Amino acid sequence: MESCVTSPDFQDLGFGITCIDTGYYRPQLAACYLIIEGDQAAFIDTGTYYTIPNLLEVLTIKGIPPKNVNYVMPTHVHLDHAGGAGRLMSELPNAKLIVHPYGARHLIDPARLIAGTCAVYGEQEFRANFGKLIPVPEDRVINAEDGLQLDLNGRTLQFLDTPGHARHHYCVYDEYSQGIFTGDSFGISYLELMCADRPYIFPTTTPVQFDPEAWMKTLDRLMSLRPDRAFLTHYGMLEGLQPYADELRFGIQRFSEIALSGLTHQITHGPDLHRHIYQALSRYLHSRLAALGCPMEKHQIDKILELDLELNTQGLEVWLDRKARSV
């Protein structure tokens, strides 16, 4: 049985941009974006296999026939961003799939992507949360080389190579909105975690390619464009970006320090590195939220952050292992 929100939950943000809730795990955890320019359109990120009926329904609501969608642009191939790409492409006869060169092969032949995701989540969770991965024909795929520019009915979309969260990650700069579609490169900012009327932002170190040094350079590059706004997959539009960029930098540094402190803990207290990192991340995020004025109770925050804490812990463990093997 397919798991899908029963009707699309979406919000028009201006500039011809619609934020669509993908229905992944819970409301307002993950979004994708529909850009409409005249009678043509494009999607940035796709959600999972289960999300696609809702994306097609939003197209219908907006009066855009599937044949008028030119591009599908997953910012990277993690499945909350790209899991539905194959199914969506099968419904859009004229669309091209725009993929980072390091990720394209995984959407053309998703066998390794399936295996890697099952290793993180388990096969049962994979099927329940992501459904199927449908291959995309190679002749419908365009590699998003750094600096690539695409024309969407006169609207320029520029692609930027943005490693840090994942090596196969790009962001899309939209000249018209003066905004950047950031995938996970500008972190996570859930709408529920408000602090003094501003959402809180923190890194996502999901396995397997967290690279804090590269991420800092990515943030430099994104902010050098002087964008007015960012469109996050997790979740929604942010404006007035400098304080968020500063907070994200601080978080990346602290996440790295927490992971490295886990090695010392492992030497002196035993082998439970995972538990040490998980608990230290939890303490850090709770203390940061409290310091910034988040009014939520601890159990409410724990419920929101449960999945992120587990995935971030796993990703930091992979980063530590990679550092050890590179010495």
Side-chain angles (χ1 to χ4, degrees):
M1 176 181 292
E2 292 195 0
S3 171
C4 183
V5 286
T6 55
S7 61
D9 181 4
F10 62 93
Q11 178 185 11
D12 292 327
L13 302 176
F15 312 102
I17 297 169
T18 300
C19 175
I20 307 170
D21 195 321
T22 69
Y24 179 64
Y25 273 104
R26 61 176 173 81
Q28 298 183 340
L29 187 150
C32 58
Y33 293 91
L34 174 65
I35 307 175
I36 297 175
E37 187 62 35
D39 62 351
Q40 297 177 23
F43 284 103
I44 295 183
D45 285 340
T46 70
T48 72
Y49 176 90
Y50 299 125
T51 305
I52 304 312
N54 286 347
L55 303 191
L56 298 175
E57 187 174 345
V58 173
L59 281 181
T60 299
I61 292 169
K62 296 293 183 180
I64 302 292
K67 66 183 179 65
N68 284 23
V69 177
N70 294 354
Y71 308 115
V72 174
M73 300 173 278
T75 55
H76 58 302
V77 301
H78 290 166
L79 297 191
D80 52 331
H81 299 256
R87 185 179 185 184
L88 183 58
M89 289 292 290
S90 72
E91 300 284 350
L92 306 175
N94 297 321
K96 294 291 187 179
L97 186 73
I98 317 299
V99 192
H100 193 286
Y102 290 164
R105 67 185 186 275
H106 296 298
L107 298 183
I108 294 168
D109 178 4
R112 289 183 62 186
L113 190 55
I114 293 170
T117 308
C118 286
V120 173
Y121 293 91
E123 185 171 353
Q124 184 174 353
E125 283 291 307
F126 169 81
R127 300 299 176 191
N129 293 313
F130 303 111
K132 305 173 186 177
L133 296 189
I134 296 176
V136 179
E138 187 170 1
D139 63 0
R140 299 187 67 190
V141 174
I142 295 174
N143 284 335
E145 302 287 351
D146 186 44
L148 172 71
Q149 292 190 359
L150 293 179
D151 180 273
L152 179 64
N153 206 18
R155 181 173 184 158
T156 299
L157 303 175
Q158 181 179 358
F159 292 77
L160 309 170
D161 183 23
T162 53
H165 169 71
R167 187 64 192 88
H168 51 87
H169 199 301
Y170 65 65
C171 292
V172 183
Y173 178 67
D174 172 37
E175 190 175 77
Y176 177 59
S177 68
Q178 296 289 293
I180 304 176
F181 295 88
T182 60
D184 287 343
S185 290
F186 209 73
I188 287 176
S189 182
Y190 294 134
L191 300 182
E192 302 99 319
L193 297 178
M194 297 295 291
C195 301
D197 297 324
R198 293 180 66 88
Y200 175 60
I201 200 163
F202 63 96
T204 171
T205 60
T206 302
V208 294
Q209 294 177 335
F210 172 60
D211 183 338
E213 292 182 6
W215 202 339
M216 294 295 193
K217 292 177 182 177
T218 282
L219 286 176
D220 287 342
R221 188 177 188 193
L222 295 179
M223 294 304 292
S224 74
L225 297 173
R226 301 184 181 275
D228 289 337
R229 51 193 56 84
F231 303 98
L232 280 63
T233 300
H234 311 286
Y235 180 97
M237 182 175 70
L238 295 178
E239 297 179 307
L241 298 182
Q242 190 61 58
Y244 297 112
D246 294 342
E247 183 66 37
L248 184 55
R249 288 180 186 281
F250 184 73
I252 292 168
Q253 182 64 34
R254 285 296 298 128
F255 274 38
S256 303
E257 292 168 353
I258 285 169
L260 292 169
S261 76
L263 295 180
T264 302
H265 175 88
Q266 191 175 35
I267 292 170
T268 58
H269 293 89
D272 199 353
L273 179 64
H274 184 93
R275 181 179 179 186
H276 171 82
I277 293 175
Y278 186 101
Q279 292 180 342
L281 286 179
S282 179
R283 287 193 298 270
Y284 164 71
L285 291 171
H286 277 285
S287 65
R288 194 68 185 148
L289 284 162
L292 294 172
C294 178
M296 297 183 72
E297 299 289 337
K298 182 179 184 300
H299 71 277
Q300 295 173 306
I301 296 172
D302 286 339
K303 186 174 182 181
I304 292 169
L305 295 181
E306 180 180 14
L307 177 64
D308 293 292
L309 281 169
E310 177 58 32
L311 293 178
N312 284 351
T313 299
Q314 291 183 32
L316 291 173
E317 289 181 285
V318 172
W319 175 63
L320 289 175
D321 183 64
R322 189 167 64 248
K323 284 177 66 69
R325 286 187 283 108
S326 68
V327 173

